[in-house]
């Protein structure tokens, strides 16, 4: 079963994934509107890491929105394929507005360690990544073990302009400049005027020792597929129609 799971994931260009028990992260679920979509008898969480350290993203921070859209399409297609292969079970994917504590689930799945920044730190790409997940009521063997944490150098804690990081209380999402600036709330202006940070603050990533030798993701299968959004590269080197908007239609909606 795990062999078939790997084949389906790889065929849809998802290579960096792991599995943890849903029950290990259940107490940390986020109360968002998508929580109701979870399978009623969830057993496993398939965590997927999408590396995003690319030359294009360094030049254009808004590139991240396109990458997240492509990642969503990949997760949707993969979930459809898994439902066909295991037709007695549910497979529900999440990326943005997810009820899954994605960093904890990914770390629990053996995909990386948790930094004081609250970010997942992967062996190859550091914390230059984002995550998605597929939740299922199929019980899948776990791939991780004990959750590991960073070396606590305190660089991210000391430099955080919003004081959202603390040794005692950990990561306070509600105070994070990057998170709060993405919300349409009146409180944004106050936070954005703190120190020198502006919308898109990435100081915790920039100073993290684990990120100093992070690999470029330009040649990663996910980025290659994202640069050709009308197609998906399959594991055998061929192509499979990707669906969705496609590159030309996507360009018509730059503000989306």
């Amino acid at each position: 079963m795990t062999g078939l799971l790997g084949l389906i994931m790889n065929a849809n260009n998802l290579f960096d994934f792991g599995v943890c028990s849903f029950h290990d992260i259940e107490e940390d679920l986020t109360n968002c509107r998508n929580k109701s979509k979870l399978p009623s008898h969830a057993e496993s969480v398939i965590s997927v890491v999408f590396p995003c350290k690319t030359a294009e993203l360094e030049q254009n921070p808004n590139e991240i929105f396109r990458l997240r859209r492509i990642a969503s399409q990949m997760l949707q297609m993969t979930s459809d394929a898994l439902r066909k292969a295991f037709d007695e079970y549910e497979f529900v994917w999440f990326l943005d507005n997810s009820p899954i504590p994605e960093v904890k689930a990914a770390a629990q799945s053996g995909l990386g360690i948790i930094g004081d920044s609250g970010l997942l730190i992967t062996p190859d790409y550091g914390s230059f990544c984002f995550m998605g997940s597929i939740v299922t009521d199929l019980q899948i063997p776990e791939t991780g073990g004990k959750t590991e944490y960073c070396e606590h150098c305190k660089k991210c804690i000391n430099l955080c302009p919003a004081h959202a990081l603390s040794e005692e209380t950990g990561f306070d999402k509600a105070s994070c400049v990057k998170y709060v600036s993405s919300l349409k709330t009146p409180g944004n202006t106050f936070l954005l005027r703190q120190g020198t940070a502006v919308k898109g603050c990435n100081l915790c990533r920039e100073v993290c020792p684990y990120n100093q030798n992070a690999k470029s993701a330009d040649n990663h299968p996910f980025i290659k597929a994202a640069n050709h959004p009308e197609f998906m590269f399959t594991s055998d080197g061929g192509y499979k129609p990707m669906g969705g908007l496609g590159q030309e239609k996507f360009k018509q909606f730059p503000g989306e």
Side-chain angles (χ1 to χ4, degrees), residues 19-256:
V19 181
C20 73
S21 169
F22 176 80
H23 305 292
D24 288 341
I25 55 91
E26 188 173 10
E27 63 181 16
D28 296 311
L29 292 176
T30 302
N31 289 318
C32 65
R33 67 175 181 268
N34 283 335
K35 188 176 180 180
S36 62
K37 296 181 181 180
L38 287 166
S40 56
H41 300 287
E43 289 289 341
S44 302
V45 178
I46 306 170
S47 292
V48 183
V49 169
F50 297 93
C52 58
K53 188 177 188 295
T54 69
E56 175 66 24
L57 187 56
E58 289 179 6
Q59 297 297 320
N60 177 20
N62 287 329
E63 168 74 357
I64 193 64
F65 299 112
R66 188 179 72 88
L67 293 180
R68 295 182 82 91
R69 171 170 288 207
I70 299 299
S72 295
Q73 290 182 324
M74 289 181 176
L75 289 169
Q76 180 177 345
M77 292 181 66
T78 303
S79 298
D80 291 343
L82 288 169
R83 280 191 290 270
K84 291 179 180 178
F86 305 98
D87 56 6
E88 296 181 6
Y89 299 93
E90 292 184 76
F91 292 88
V92 183
W93 67 273
F94 300 98
L95 195 144
D96 293 314
N97 197 27
S98 172
I100 301 298
E102 292 180 328
V103 171
K104 181 176 181 178
Q108 190 79 21
S109 301
L111 296 174
I113 63 177
I114 299 177
D116 284 335
S117 58
L119 301 172
L120 180 76
I121 301 172
T122 65
D124 290 334
Y125 304 101
S127 59
F128 293 106
C129 61
F130 59 90
M131 287 144 285
S133 57
I134 300 174
V135 183
T136 177
D137 51 359
L138 171 64
Q139 192 168 27
I140 305 173
E142 299 173 44
T143 58
K146 181 181 177 182
T147 300
E148 302 288 344
Y149 296 85
C150 72
E151 60 188 28
H152 308 298
C153 71
K154 303 180 185 179
K155 289 185 177 180
C156 60
I157 293 176
N158 293 335
L159 284 176
C160 179
H163 307 292
L165 306 176
S166 166
E167 283 187 89
E168 292 76 26
T169 58
F171 172 53
D172 178 13
K173 187 176 183 179
S175 298
C176 174
V177 170
K178 187 166 187 176
Y179 172 71
V180 177
S181 65
S182 69
L183 304 177
K184 297 179 180 180
T185 61
N188 289 3
T189 304
F190 172 77
L191 269 177
L192 294 178
R193 287 178 178 172
Q194 302 293 314
T196 59
V198 295
K199 182 175 180 179
C201 173
N202 247 344
L203 289 177
C204 57
R205 279 193 169 103
E206 292 171 5
V207 301
C208 180
Y210 294 96
N211 285 339
Q212 303 314 306
N213 296 312
K215 294 180 181 178
S216 167
D218 282 318
N219 291 320
H220 191 276
F222 163 59
I223 299 300
K224 287 184 176 180
N227 289 334
H228 299 272
E230 69 274 23
F231 290 102
M232 283 280 283
F233 293 99
T234 62
S235 55
D236 61 1
Y239 294 96
K240 180 168 60 176
M242 187 169 185
L245 286 176
Q247 188 176 34
E248 293 307 315
K249 289 185 178 179
F250 178 83
K251 288 179 179 178
Q252 297 174 20
F253 302 96
E256 291 294 328

